Amino acid sequence: MPTELAHQIIDDLRVWDVLELLCYDNDRVDACIMSHSVCGNMFSADPETLAKWKFAAHLYQDIFTAVGKEFVQDHCETNYLGTNIHCIVPQEYGETWNYMKSRIHDELNIHWRKTDLTRFGAPDYSNGIEGRNLKTLDSFEEQKKCWHDIQKAKANLFQLRASELHWTADMLEANSDILKRTLDPTQEVRPNTAHIVSRLRHGADAIMRAPIEKFVFSEHFSYEFLGIIPFDSALGLLLHMIQKHGLVAGDQAMVSNTISLTDGTSHPSSIINSVRIIIDGMPRFYISPPETAEQRANFAWRPSANKDGDILRTGNTPWSEPLGGNERVSLEGPYFTAFKFCDNQGYLRPVSLYWDPHNQMEKEWLVSFVEVYRYLKNLDG
């Protein structure tokens, strides 16, 4: 193509269209662009300056292609990238550069704020001022490194979440008489949990198939706690059995590793250790109902309670909230509370009882619960 014809085509292009052409890294295309009067002035005849523009354009293109967002925003107060190449003036060259950097920063910040990625291997890019906002990165090179670090951490997160869901499915499948889905409103053992187990595994597989450049829009990323818990009845029975067999005194696990049974034998040290894990973790999972008016008033401030101080137990999910004002949830006996607040898109724990999502101690606690429950049930015949 003659250079004059190439220049006529460039005359009709937007700034981003020209930058996109630079991403092809074609010597003939580069020569046509650099010999164009406006482009040559904007990108400079200096090969080093051109290389910097190319690097910025490549990074911008790669990120917004990966997340599926438009390169040129339609509704933008000052649309530098959407401006015709003939209409951009020299004082706007630097503004175009800064606009690209600012938009990349905003996209990185969306991913950075989603969850604490430092727990999954990312360096700490927080600005240290408020919340978890991403700090300002001075160059496109730093932004590219941050983008790659975020994606590696997200890959670790996705792997962990999928692994956790498979583990959850296995635990529920093997212990459906003890365990239920955390947000399942019923407290009755289901005759068939195969569809629940299948759904958990399907969710795990979907997460692993998802592109790491995006966060998976799935319920499994909306909850800050493990997806399965024991039934309230299992809790009540376990508390009864560990007291009956002398494994606790008050609310403390017994210190001795040689607690004797009635036949002269003793409990295995592994069981005693598991009891300690259960007792130590109990405040994170279970809570006693308030008994007096003063106690109820103290509970009213908690996000896990309503304005009357009633604790929101698992029966109160968005899909099972009582519609009638006269319906009440029983507060008798110990029971699990998911400590829910926010809306039906997210379930969080209050700060006072906070554990990071995917905390391995939750799995350790649940394994200990099942182990001790099975052991004591076997002792009772």
Side-chain angles (χ1 to χ4, degrees), residues 53-316:
W53 274 103
K54 277 192 172 189
F55 186 92
H58 271 297
L59 180 62
Y60 187 92
Q61 183 185 58
D62 290 346
I63 289 177
F64 290 103
T65 297
V67 299
K69 294 184 179 180
E70 68 276 7
F71 300 120
V72 180
Q73 294 175 294
D74 292 331
H75 306 290
C76 185
E77 185 175 343
T78 307
N79 199 339
Y80 296 106
L81 296 180
T83 302
N84 181 275
I85 194 69
H86 260 297
C87 297
I88 194 164
V89 295
Q91 54 265 37
E92 292 179 334
Y93 298 163
E95 294 300 324
T96 303
W97 178 270
N98 291 333
Y99 169 80
M100 293 170 65
K101 188 185 296 181
S102 175
R103 191 164 179 229
I104 290 174
H105 177 275
D106 290 344
E107 184 62 33
L108 295 180
N109 195 40
I110 290 173
H111 294 249
W112 185 252
R113 287 177 56 86
K114 214 60 155 164
T115 189
D116 183 4
L117 291 174
T118 61
R119 296 181 56 233
F120 307 101
D124 189 358
Y125 285 102
S126 298
N127 60 12
I129 299 175
E130 61 174 298
R132 287 193 37 77
N133 284 315
L134 187 74
K135 67 181 180 181
T136 300
L137 301 168
D138 295 329
S139 67
F140 287 104
E141 286 78 9
E142 288 179 302
Q143 288 185 326
K144 182 175 182 177
K145 183 179 183 306
C146 177
W147 173 248
H148 287 165
D149 287 339
I150 286 175
Q151 301 318 308
K152 286 191 292 185
K154 283 167 63 179
N156 293 336
L157 166 60
F158 283 17
Q159 177 66 48
L160 177 61
R161 191 57 176 129
S163 174
E164 185 177 277
L165 284 173
H166 277 298
W167 180 88
T168 299
D170 293 342
M171 284 290 289
L172 182 59
E173 188 173 47
N175 303 283
S176 59
D177 59 324
I178 304 175
L179 307 176
K180 63 185 279 289
R181 283 198 71 218
T182 304
L183 295 181
D184 186 348
T186 184
Q187 284 291 337
E188 298 176 358
V189 177
R190 292 181 177 272
N192 180 12
T193 58
H195 65 290
I196 301 175
V197 170
S198 176
R199 183 180 170 206
L200 289 169
R201 289 174 178 153
H202 176 78
D205 294 339
I207 288 172
M208 291 311 297
R209 289 194 303 268
I212 62 171
E213 293 84 6
K214 300 180 181 180
F215 269 104
V216 180
F217 292 100
S218 160
E219 65 172 295
H220 305 300
F221 281 88
S222 300
Y223 312 135
E224 294 196 354
F225 44 76
L226 203 59
I228 53 174
I229 56 168
F231 286 101
D232 291 352
S233 58
L235 166 65
L237 182 56
L238 179 76
L239 294 178
H240 169 74
M241 290 190 297
I242 59 177
Q243 293 179 53
K244 173 184 174 182
H245 292 281
L247 285 163
V248 294
D251 60 354
Q252 298 294 320
M254 296 295 285
V255 176
S256 174
N257 286 339
T258 58
I259 301 172
S260 297
L261 302 177
T262 55
D263 61 0
T265 60
S266 61
H267 296 294
S269 58
S270 60
I271 291 297
I272 297 172
N273 183 60
S274 293
V275 171
R276 288 198 183 97
I277 292 172
I278 294 170
I279 298 301
D280 291 344
M282 197 71 76
R284 302 278 185 171
F285 293 90
Y286 294 94
I287 193 162
S288 298
E291 298 176 357
T292 67
E294 182 180 0
Q295 288 175 333
R296 292 174 69 84
N298 290 336
F299 270 95
W301 66 269
R302 294 177 181 241
S304 56
N306 63 19
K307 63 181 180 180
D308 298 323
D310 296 332
I311 301 172
L312 300 177
R313 58 179 292 168
T314 51
N316 292 80

